[in-house]
Every structure is written in C-alpha cells, then in structure tokens.
Amino acid sequence: MSVTAARGFLACGVAAGIKDSGARDLALVVNRGPSRAAAGVFTSNRVQAAPVRWSRRALADGRISAVVLNSGGANACTGQAGAVDALLTAEHTARVVDAPPSEVAVCSTGLIGVRLPMDRLMAGITAAGGRLSPEGGQDAAVAIKTTDSVHKTAVASRSGWTVGGMAKGAGMLAPGLATMLVVLTTDADVSAAGLDAALRSAVRTTFDRVDSDGCMSTNDTVLLLASGASGAAPEPEEFAAAVHAVCLDLARQLVADAEGASKEIEVTVVGAATEDDAVEVGRSVARNNLLKCALHGEDPNWGRVLSAIGTTSAAFDPDRLDVAINDVWVCRNSAAGESRDKVDLSGRLVTITVDLCSGDSSAVIWTNDLTAEYVHENSAYSS
Amino acid sequence: MSVTAARGFLACGVAAGIKDSGARDLALVVNRGPSRAAAGVFTSNRVQAAPVRWSRRALADGRISAVVLNSGGANACTGQAGAVDALLTAEHTARVVDAPPSEVAVCSTGLIGVRLPMDRLMAGITAAGGRLSPEGGQDAAVAIKTTDSVHKTAVASRSGWTVGGMAKGAGMLAPGLATMLVVLTTDADVSAAGLDAALRSAVRTTFDRVDSDGCMSTNDTVLLLASGASGAAPEPEEFAAAVHAVCLDLARQLVADAEGASKEIEVTVVGAATEDDAVEVGRSVARNNLLKCALHGEDPNWGRVLSAIGTTSAAFDPDRLDVAINDVWVCRNSAAGESRDKVDLSGRLVTITVDLCSGDSSAVIWTNDLTAEYVHENSAYSS
C-alpha cells in the first residue's frame, strides 16, 4: 500500500545508520512510468533546507523519476556544504535508479544545523537500490518516521486507478523542525499541470490547515508523482477529489499522532464574510496557547476563544459572536450562553464552532491541546 | 510609593469580597489636582471588556479624577448587563470621590464571561472612599493582583517632580485573560496632549514588547494621570524619559513574575532594515513555542530561531543570518557557528541576538520560556 498502491511504483525503506538507533532511516520511491509527471508543494518558510531548494529546482520541468528521503537529519541551515550534500545525494540516487539527477527529488527530516553522515547515506542509497519492490511502500513509510509513534499511509482507489501516499510528522506539535514530508503516487495518467492543480487545491484545505505554531518548517515537502501505468485518464474533478481524500486522511493522521497531545481539536469557523477571514480566525483560535491549555484541562473556556478572535482583522461585530464547544453554544452574542456545565470534554476529540454572523464562508483548522508532555518532549529533544 | 509617590494623589486597596479568598480586590486612585489631565492606552483586541469601553470614552476629553480597579472578575464578554455594571461602578465611585462620572476610569481584571458581584463591589467602593490616603499606593498595588506572586510598583523622581506607578499581570504568560493593568501618576504639570505623547511613546517600546501570545487581552489598560501638584513643568523629552523609565521597570517586573516560567528571555534584533522589521522578527522568535521549550530545557537550539525568522516578511538574506545565544554566536551565515557547548543556559536570564545583516535598525522583545508549570496553571485556572 502507501506509495506502492498505485501501479508503476517501486519503493523500499532501509537502515542506513543515519539514526543511532539502527532503525530504518532511508526510503526510496521510484516511478517506472510510462509517465514521470510530478508536482510539489514546499514550505513557505523563507529559511529553506538544502533538499527543499534542490527538489524545487528538480520539479521545475514537471518530471520526477525518483524520490530519496532520509530521517535522522534535516540538512537544514548547513550552508554551502549542505547544498553539495543534497546534490551528491541526488546524483548518487540517479545512478542507482538509472535516471537523470534533475529527475530526483530529495527530502530530509530530523535535527537542523547538522551535516548528514554522507558516507552512510550514500551506502544506504546503494543498498536501497537493490531492495526496491512493488510491495515496499510500507517499509518506506516506516523509514521516514522521526518522533512519529506510527507510520502513516492512505489510499484512495477508484475505478481503474489509485492515489496512495505516505506521510511523516507527529502533528505540528512534533519536536522536529523539519516536520512534514508527504509523498503521493498515482497510476492515473495526469499531466504535470493537472497534478499541480489537484495537489495545490488539496494541500490548501488539508495540510495547510493543520496548525499549531503557524508556519511550515524549513523542510516541509508534499510531492505527487504520476506513473500513468493504469492507462486511465480521470476527469480533473474526480482526480482532485481522490487526491484531496488522501491528503485529508494523512493530515488527520498527523494531528492524531501529535506526540504529547491529549486532545485533537477541530476549529470550524462559519458565518465568515470570506474564506480568508474564516481561515484567519480559525488559525488565531488554534494558535492560542491559553485556550489549548484550558482544553487540556477540560475547561470549556470560551472567553479565550473570543480573545483570540478579537486579535484578527476578520469582519465581525464584537458584540455578535457565537461559540460552541462540543456543540454546546456556551457563548451567544459575545456573552455567556448555555451553561458550560453541559460541555463534556472528557473525550479525545474537541470541536469548537465559531459563528462570525457576517456571511456564508467557512473553514476548518485542526490542532491539538498544549500539555506538559509537549513541553517535556520539546525541551529534551536535542540536549 | 506606587501611585501615591507623586503629590496630589490618594489611594487605597480594600477587600470587597469579590475574591473568595478574602484578599484585597478593590483599589481606588484619586487625583486631588489641581490638574486632572490624563492619557490612556488600551488593548488592541477588538473584543474589549465593558470597563475598557467605558474608560476609553471617559478619557476622550483628557480629564480623569479617579480610577477604580477591581481584581476577581474582568467584566469582559458580559454583554449589555456588563456595560451597565461598568456604568454603575463609575457613577458610584463618582459620588464617593465627588467628581463627575465622566471623569472616572474603570479597570477590571480576572475571569471573563462572568458578571461582577455588584452588591459587594458597590459596598467596597463606599468603604474604599473612607480609606483613601496619600500612603495608600502600596495597598492599591496589592489589591489589583490576580495570579501575580508579588505586587509591582516603580517610581522615577526628578528634581521637583515624580512619576510613579503600579502594575498587575504575571507576565504575558499569566492565565488571566485580562492580563495587564497599569496606573501611572505624576505631580508634574503636563497637558493631556503631553501625557498622551509621552505615554504612547513609552508603551510602544516597553509593555508592547513584552510578548508571548502576540496580543493584548480584552482588558489591558495603561493610564497616566497628572495632578500638577509639584508646580513643575518639565521639558517634554525629560518627562517622556521618566515615563519610559517607569514603564520599562514595570514591564520587566511583569516578565520576571511570569508564573510557571523558569527563564526570562530577551530577544534583541539588530541589523534590520527598519524598526518594524526588527519588531516583527523579535515577536516571531519570542512566540515560537518550540524555541521556548528548548530554552526551558537549556538547549541552545538556534535552528528554531532561524525557522521563526523565516516565517516573517522582514528584509533579510536567508543565507546571511547570525544568531547569538547568551553572547555565543552559535549561528553564522545561517549555518553552525561557534560551538553550542559554549552556551551556558543555567541562569534565569537568556539573551538571544539576531543580526539580520540588512540595515541599522533594532528592537528588543521580552518573553519567557514555556514550561510544564505554565500548562498546569493555565489548564487548572477556571475549572
């Protein structure tokens, strides 16, 4: 399954010794075609890791034959030496899979500011080349884990064609700076432009709406590769819907696996004048540390929701805000509504609904609560 | 000291029974003149508590004769009933201190979404009227505490005139939504316009640069009252400097008293193209939960600093960023610099210096680390 659910793809995951633990830390995904069309979305952070810079250039012509991914080191903030390391990684992978280096995407995840152990990485790529398999998707998904407690894969099968994928990232609350890597594959026959449109649309309402600290990391990368091996050429809407379904599934798995979190929080903003307003308000609520602490303590503190809304530039009347927590409208017209005692926060899933009473647009943002375990994990990570 | 260090002011702090604990929870500050000139700065949050709305209107003509402050309840998000409560509070205070209601400012702090116990508050105001004293500044400072571990006062005495003040707020990391209240007094003879200029200038580089979650609360209020009782009319620059000194002193006390924090973090951004750029970068660094956790764990994780810088729109070259932690330049040209082993993070004060290498502007932002104690306090607050 995973990246090998779609026909035309080989993958594997091996232990190259990049991680001290001896766990799998290197994955290879190879597109055997006939098509090599590809699209990608990269971090919006202006400080970008060397592999992101490399892969962005490699994708410029819409063709990717292989993706090499490593955990155990992000190759971010490593200067010119790190850029050379990414280039050497692509070149060696290209030799192993018999493709031009310009068709090899490189993804790295782990600690930043530290060079990769290139000797081990190169040997690992050679070894991985001999282990490629149409059943290797699972091993690849395992090899890209950092603090993830489980590997994450998703598949959407349609009549005659499939979209599959893998993701790493223990929620946006994960300690790794180089948080999210996603590789999606399909055996549908879709042009690079078609892949790009479907991927951007899907990412915008899935991965981009998983939020805790407000920004993609230095390494975040989402790739979509098409082999065309099914011979099927789906309608754009149908294809986009399948890509969206896989992205949403993986995004929810990221939130569910947020290490240190005890709650998954879904913030739905309705009644917004525009979708941008809804997203801005949703993000502001999702990023509010005080609210995230309150929900951890199972306290339906709607005042902290209003305070977060008040910091945005969205259209609303400060005296006409409604807030529901787990479907109990605890705040009506910006004041106390139904009794907060009715709110049961004992479960893992928490829904917050904000009605801005200003229009018909809406958006959903996913986040987690803030816990002592989060602090512990993120203060102990690299020391 | 405190608000009664300057001549012409009376104050007191009493226990009105608003807090269940029986602690002091009501303060009164009265300006006996001859001047009643005043200025104020209020929260930029669009969701504003009833007392903020009232005080903003009262200050419109630049005259304030008295300030009534309560802890134990913020009177925020309380709808029309809360607005009436703020009005009744001002009217009753006006009767007690013999001034027009339009010259009475009202400040409240505590939980939001809950009505104030008006019977106790009114009786407390009556009682406070009989306890006003030129030595009452200390009691007033104690009465406005919420989760503050200590009361906070500061005084700057110049030749013939004085600026004094009190503040409440356990850092921006405090659990109360209605975080910061500050009352400053002076016996200098300064017009309302002069007070406004000095206060805005001081707040901009002091209270506005204490940052953890990026926004003022629903109740934040800073007031400056002048009695003119010294007869001295200082030069604007001299007066502004004294107001700045008192604001800076109080702002640092807020950071130092952040409950649950183990570190005070000073983020200095230099080499910025503009001061706005420096502030944007400083805030982004100061708000980064991952960095705040790392510093709590005494881990000089400069990668998290770069990641935070990368999310801003400030002018910089992503390959030319320098970062020092406690004066060790651990990052040069966006890559590893001096050994991170040289950084001693065992002390309470942490300095982070970011050089954007893009100009001559700079700014300083103060924040705290993120700790399990912070999570505990903020998840247990109102439940």
Side-chain angles (χ1 to χ4, degrees):
Chain A
M1 305 312 283
S2 167
V3 289
T4 47
R7 281 160 288 182
F9 290 92
L10 306 176
C12 68
V14 301
I18 306 168
K19 287 180 178 168
D20 291 336
S21 66
R24 285 195 177 89
D25 49 20
L26 183 87
L28 208 52
V29 181
V30 178
N31 184 355
R32 285 302 179 202
S35 170
R36 262 67 174 197
V41 174
F42 299 93
T43 178
S44 55
N45 199 304
R46 291 168 62 201
V47 175
Q48 300 191 340
V52 168
R53 296 186 192 193
W54 169 267
S55 298
R56 197 185 283 278
R57 278 196 301 269
L59 251 174
D61 65 353
R63 277 180 68 87
I64 291 293
S65 291
V67 186
V68 55
L69 311 95
N70 74 274
S71 52
N75 193 13
C77 303
T78 43
Q80 191 54 38
V84 172
D85 290 345
L87 169 67
L88 293 174
T89 302
E91 285 183 342
H92 187 57
T93 304
R95 273 192 297 274
V96 166
V97 304
D98 191 22
S102 65
E103 291 185 12
V104 176
V106 181
C107 300
S108 299
T109 178
L111 255 188
I112 85 167
V114 180
R115 293 276 303 280
L116 290 169
M118 287 304 291
D119 50 345
R120 296 179 194 180
L121 182 65
M122 298 302 241
I125 292 168
T126 305
R131 306 272 283 275
L132 286 165
S133 151
E135 279 84 41
Q138 201 86 337
D139 285 352
V142 170
I144 61 175
K145 285 171 54 184
T146 52
T147 59
D148 306 62
S149 69
V150 293
H151 65 276
K152 295 152 184 102
T153 67
V155 174
S157 289
R158 300 293 183 260
S159 59
W161 55 278
T162 293
V163 177
M166 64 181 183
K168 68 97 2 192
M172 291 294 114
L173 293 170
L177 266 170
T179 308
M180 187 179 70
L181 297 182
V182 180
V183 179
L184 307 172
T185 57
T186 182
D187 47 20
D189 186 15
V190 181
S191 70
L195 296 175
D196 189 68
L199 185 62
R200 283 183 193 283
S201 166
V203 168
R204 196 177 67 84
T205 56
T206 58
F207 298 117
D208 270 355
R209 297 199 178 164
V210 176
D211 199 297
S212 83
D213 57 3
C215 53
M216 290 183 126
S217 85
T218 50
N219 290 55
D220 289 344
T221 299
V222 185
L223 299 173
L224 171 56
L225 280 55
S227 69
S230 71
E235 289 298 313
E237 294 72 22
E238 194 187 6
F239 182 68
V243 173
H244 185 272
V246 173
C247 287
L248 184 60
D249 188 343
L250 291 172
R252 296 302 298 266
Q253 291 183 52
L254 294 180
V255 174
D257 194 31
E259 294 288 342
S262 69
K263 306 282 184 195
E264 297 165 41
I265 304 169
E266 182 177 288
V267 182
T268 304
V269 180
V270 301
T274 65
E275 186 179 346
D276 283 352
D277 274 8
V279 171
E280 183 189 359
V281 168
R283 283 197 198 285
S284 181
V285 172
R287 288 175 192 170
N288 190 286
N289 278 356
L290 290 170
L291 176 65
K292 289 152 80 98
C293 287
L295 294 175
H296 175 54
E298 307 193 346
D299 166 18
N301 197 320
W302 57 268
R304 293 176 183 179
V305 178
L306 256 64
S307 181
I309 300 168
T311 66
T312 70
S313 62
F316 65 82
D317 176 344
D319 292 319
R320 282 200 61 202
L321 295 167
D322 297 338
V323 177
I325 300 180
N326 280 358
D327 299 319
V328 179
W329 290 91
V330 286
C331 171
R332 288 282 193 193
N333 293 319
S334 302
E338 291 183 69
S339 168
R340 33 174 289 149
D341 296 341
K342 291 186 187 171
V343 182
D344 178 4
L345 286 169
S346 59
R348 187 172 169 91
L349 181 66
V350 177
T351 63
I352 297 177
T353 311
V354 173
D355 190 342
L356 297 177
C357 301
S358 300
D360 296 322
S361 295
S362 64
V364 180
I365 303 286
W366 294 277
T367 188
N368 297 94
D369 57 343
L370 185 54
T371 69
E373 290 69 31
Y374 169 82
V375 174
H376 175 71
E377 185 170 341
N378 286 294
S379 53
Y381 186 57
S382 76
S383 52
Chain B
M1 306 309 284
S2 168
V3 288
T4 47
R7 281 160 289 183
F9 290 92
L10 306 176
C12 68
V14 301
I18 306 168
K19 286 180 179 167
D20 290 337
S21 66
R24 284 194 177 90
D25 49 20
L26 184 86
L28 208 52
V29 180
V30 178
N31 184 355
R32 284 303 180 200
S35 170
R36 262 67 173 198
V41 175
F42 298 94
T43 178
S44 55
N45 200 304
R46 291 168 62 200
V47 175
Q48 300 191 340
V52 168
R53 297 185 192 193
W54 169 267
S55 298
R56 197 185 283 278
R57 279 195 300 269
L59 252 174
D61 65 353
R63 277 180 69 87
I64 290 293
S65 290
V67 186
V68 56
L69 310 96
N70 75 273
S71 53
N75 193 13
C77 303
T78 43
Q80 191 54 38
V84 171
D85 290 345
L87 169 67
L88 294 173
T89 302
E91 286 183 341
H92 186 56
T93 303
R95 274 192 296 276
V96 165
V97 304
D98 191 23
S102 66
E103 291 185 13
V104 176
V106 181
C107 300
S108 299
T109 178
L111 255 188
I112 85 166
V114 179
R115 293 277 303 279
L116 290 169
M118 286 304 290
D119 50 345
R120 296 180 193 179
L121 182 65
M122 298 303 241
I125 292 168
T126 305
R131 306 271 284 274
L132 286 165
S133 151
E135 278 85 41
Q138 201 86 338
D139 285 353
V142 170
I144 61 174
K145 285 170 55 183
T146 52
T147 58
D148 307 61
S149 69
V150 293
H151 65 276
K152 295 154 184 101
T153 67
V155 174
S157 288
R158 301 294 183 259
S159 60
W161 56 277
T162 292
V163 177
M166 63 181 184
K168 69 98 359 192
M172 291 293 112
L173 293 170
L177 266 170
T179 308
M180 187 179 69
L181 297 182
V182 180
V183 178
L184 308 172
T185 57
T186 182
D187 47 21
D189 187 16
V190 181
S191 70
L195 296 174
D196 189 67
L199 184 63
R200 283 182 193 283
S201 165
V203 167
R204 196 177 67 84
T205 56
T206 57
F207 298 117
D208 270 355
R209 297 199 178 164
V210 176
D211 200 298
S212 82
D213 57 3
C215 55
M216 291 183 124
S217 85
T218 51
N219 289 55
D220 289 344
T221 299
V222 185
L223 299 173
L224 171 55
L225 280 55
S227 69
S230 71
E235 289 298 313
E237 294 72 23
E238 194 188 6
F239 181 68
V243 173
H244 185 273
V246 172
C247 287
L248 184 60
D249 188 344
L250 291 172
R252 297 302 299 266
Q253 290 183 52
L254 294 180
V255 175
D257 194 30
E259 294 287 342
S262 69
K263 306 283 184 194
E264 297 165 40
I265 304 168
E266 182 177 288
V267 182
T268 304
V269 180
V270 301
T274 65
E275 186 179 346
D276 283 353
D277 274 7
V279 170
E280 183 188 0
V281 168
R283 284 197 198 285
S284 181
V285 172
R287 288 174 193 172
N288 190 285
N289 278 355
L290 290 170
L291 176 65
K292 290 151 78 98
C293 287
L295 294 175
H296 175 54
E298 307 192 347
D299 166 18
N301 196 320
W302 57 268
R304 293 176 183 181
V305 178
L306 256 64
S307 181
I309 300 169
T311 66
T312 70
S313 61
F316 64 83
D317 176 344
D319 292 319
R320 283 200 59 203
L321 295 167
D322 296 338
V323 177
I325 300 179
N326 280 358
D327 299 319
V328 179
W329 289 91
V330 285
C331 171
R332 289 281 193 193
N333 292 319
S334 302
E338 291 182 68
S339 168
R340 33 174 289 148
D341 297 341
K342 291 186 187 171
V343 182
D344 178 4
L345 286 169
S346 59
R348 186 172 170 91
L349 181 67
V350 176
T351 63
I352 297 177
T353 311
V354 173
D355 190 343
L356 296 177
C357 301
S358 300
D360 297 322
S361 296
S362 64
V364 180
I365 303 285
W366 294 277
T367 188
N368 297 95
D369 57 343
L370 186 54
T371 70
E373 290 69 30
Y374 168 82
V375 174
H376 174 71
E377 185 169 342
N378 286 294
S379 52
Y381 186 58
S382 75
S383 52

